[in-house]
Amino acid sequence: MFDGKEYVYAVYKEKSFSRAAQKLYISQPALSTAIKKVEKKIGKPIFDRSTNPISLTPSGEIYIEAIEKLFSLEQNTVNQLNNLNGLIAGSLKLGGTNFYTSFILPRMLSDFSHTYPKIKIELVEGTTQQLVEKLLSEDLDLILDNTEFGDRNYQKYYYDSEHILLAVPRSMEINERLADCRLTQDEVRAGRNNEPDCPELPLEKMEDTPFVTLKDENNLYQRAMAMAQMHNFQPQIILKLDSVVSAFNMACSGIGATFIPDGLAKHIAYDVPLYFYRLDEKLSLRRIHFVKKRNKYMTRAMEEFIRIAVGDEVYETVSSEDAE
């Protein structure tokens, strides 16, 4: 019954026979023939071909659920066998947003790969929503993210905290009127924005300033808008982007002010033509975690990477809490 399940699953994921055939490197007629053989075996159609994109029939939903369980069982078996090999083989699939894959994960991956050179590493970049979907489908082992995840479906390992800052092009005159609370990049690198006596920026003073923000579904955008609403302020948004790094570069070009995590100002190796401003402490603070799907098998590769990234104490604490 499950012969050809890889073909069925490819069509399900791609929602297209033609795209699935390209991904599988076979012809579309050959793929259609393989799918029909599976449908003949189970006695029911798997796909409703009358919809666009194609969708699952009720029988197809049952079949996909079953083969996903098979795939998970197969992967768990491989993971357990790799564990017995003492990390001389195996894989690790990590995900993060553009900022984390560019500035945070490379150092960790370098340390890990030097310690375990035989482990195959895959790094995936995407939005938080895309990464969570891949985590739940077990296409990723771990993701690094600052979203508030519930504990029911996820296991979280605390990595660090970050604060949202407002970055304003130095060329803007507004900086002269805000000289008492503006920060240089060196001051942010030194942690001045986290000191109790560092003044917060009243966002309403940014009236008539053009803003570049992330798109509505992004947590950084949502927090920024919550802070603006708290100050009865409506930002003059001229551009919305997918990536905080892109928004940061737009600000560096003088296009508009933007909201960034303070880690971005700290990790950029070169000096940028921006001033930075501390924002509301409660709404600007975000905790960063490594996150895994709760019931996913913890491979030795995953365990050792988490230990390298967050330390033995955090790993042991989370593991013991989860066992209770």
Side-chain angles (χ1 to χ4, degrees):
M1 178 182 291
F2 294 110
D3 290 342
K5 62 183 181 297
E6 293 83 3
Y7 297 136
V8 174
Y9 200 67
V11 174
Y12 161 67
K13 295 292 283 186
E14 297 297 325
K15 294 182 172 54
S16 163
F17 277 85
S18 59
R19 288 197 300 270
Q22 291 174 0
K23 186 174 182 179
L24 294 167
Y25 299 103
I26 63 174
S27 68
Q28 185 171 335
L31 177 60
S32 296
T33 299
I35 299 295
K36 288 178 180 177
K37 285 182 179 179
V38 176
E39 290 177 324
K40 184 176 181 180
K41 282 185 178 180
I42 66 174
K44 296 284 186 180
I46 294 173
F47 296 106
D48 183 350
R49 294 163 174 80
S50 67
T51 63
N52 187 17
I54 61 173
S55 59
L56 293 173
T57 64
S59 300
E61 291 177 357
I62 295 172
Y63 186 86
I64 290 296
E65 182 181 357
I67 62 175
E68 283 184 333
K69 289 179 180 178
L70 281 175
F71 287 146
S72 180
L73 178 62
E74 289 174 354
Q75 187 60 56
N76 281 343
T77 302
V78 170
N79 290 337
Q80 292 180 60
L81 291 173
N82 285 335
N83 282 353
L84 294 176
N85 292 332
L87 282 184
I88 61 173
S91 65
L92 180 66
K93 295 176 288 186
L94 298 170
T97 57
N98 179 262
F99 169 56
Y100 294 136
T101 58
S102 299
F103 297 100
I104 305 298
L105 287 170
R107 175 185 56 80
M108 299 177 194
L109 290 174
S110 176
D111 292 344
F112 181 79
S113 62
H114 278 96
T115 306
Y116 303 106
K118 299 292 185 180
I119 301 299
K120 180 182 177 182
I121 300 171
E122 181 180 347
L123 183 60
V124 175
E125 183 179 295
T127 65
T128 294
Q129 182 178 352
Q130 291 168 341
L131 296 171
V132 169
E133 288 175 358
K134 289 182 179 293
L135 188 72
L136 292 176
S137 65
E138 301 193 6
D139 292 327
L140 289 174
D141 297 320
L142 298 167
I143 64 173
L144 181 63
D145 203 86
N146 51 38
T147 301
E148 294 295 327
F149 291 89
D151 293 332
R152 182 176 179 181
N153 296 319
Y154 307 98
Q155 201 169 8
K156 301 179 295 183
Y157 300 83
Y158 175 74
Y159 167 68
D160 200 359
S161 294
E162 64 184 10
H163 286 82
I164 299 170
L165 300 176
L166 183 66
V168 181
R170 286 186 182 179
S171 58
M172 291 187 171
E173 294 182 4
I174 187 69
N175 294 298
E176 299 305 316
R177 301 197 296 273
L178 299 173
D180 59 335
C181 60
R182 74 189 187 196
L183 300 168
T184 64
Q185 187 176 6
D186 284 340
E187 287 177 309
V188 175
R189 286 170 175 159
R192 169 64 179 143
N193 58 295
N194 295 326
E195 295 176 1
D197 63 337
C198 181
E200 294 179 359
L201 170 69
L203 274 172
E204 63 268 19
K205 290 189 176 182
M206 300 304 294
E207 187 178 5
D208 299 326
T209 300
F211 276 77
V212 177
T213 70
L214 299 189
K215 292 183 178 177
D216 296 15
E217 64 271 15
N218 190 282
N219 178 265
L220 180 58
Y221 172 85
Q222 293 166 2
R223 285 185 180 241
M225 293 306 103
M227 285 187 273
Q229 186 176 17
M230 191 169 62
H231 289 266
N232 296 315
F233 169 64
Q234 183 64 44
Q236 187 182 103
I237 300 173
I238 61 172
L239 188 61
K240 290 186 178 182
L241 300 170
D242 290 310
S243 162
V244 67
V245 176
S246 298
F248 180 80
N249 288 332
M250 290 290 182
C252 289
S253 299
I255 293 175
T258 194
F259 298 93
I260 66 164
D262 56 1
L264 186 50
K266 294 175 181 177
H267 285 89
I268 291 287
Y270 52 88
D271 292 331
V272 294
L274 300 170
Y275 284 117
F276 303 92
Y277 297 87
R278 179 180 179 175
L279 301 170
D280 176 79
E281 172 68 17
K282 184 177 180 181
L283 285 173
S284 70
L285 176 64
R286 300 194 295 185
R287 292 167 63 86
I288 308 168
H289 294 89
F290 281 96
V291 186
K292 70 175 282 287
K293 184 179 177 182
R294 181 170 292 278
N295 61 356
K296 179 176 173 61
Y297 179 79
M298 175 70 83
T299 68
R300 277 285 309 285
M302 292 166 64
E303 176 184 340
E304 292 305 316
F305 179 81
I306 294 171
R307 288 182 184 275
I308 287 174
V310 305
D312 291 340
E313 184 177 350
V314 171
Y315 177 81
E316 297 294 350
T317 300
V318 174
S319 297
S320 60
E321 288 175 352
D322 194 59
E324 293 176 357

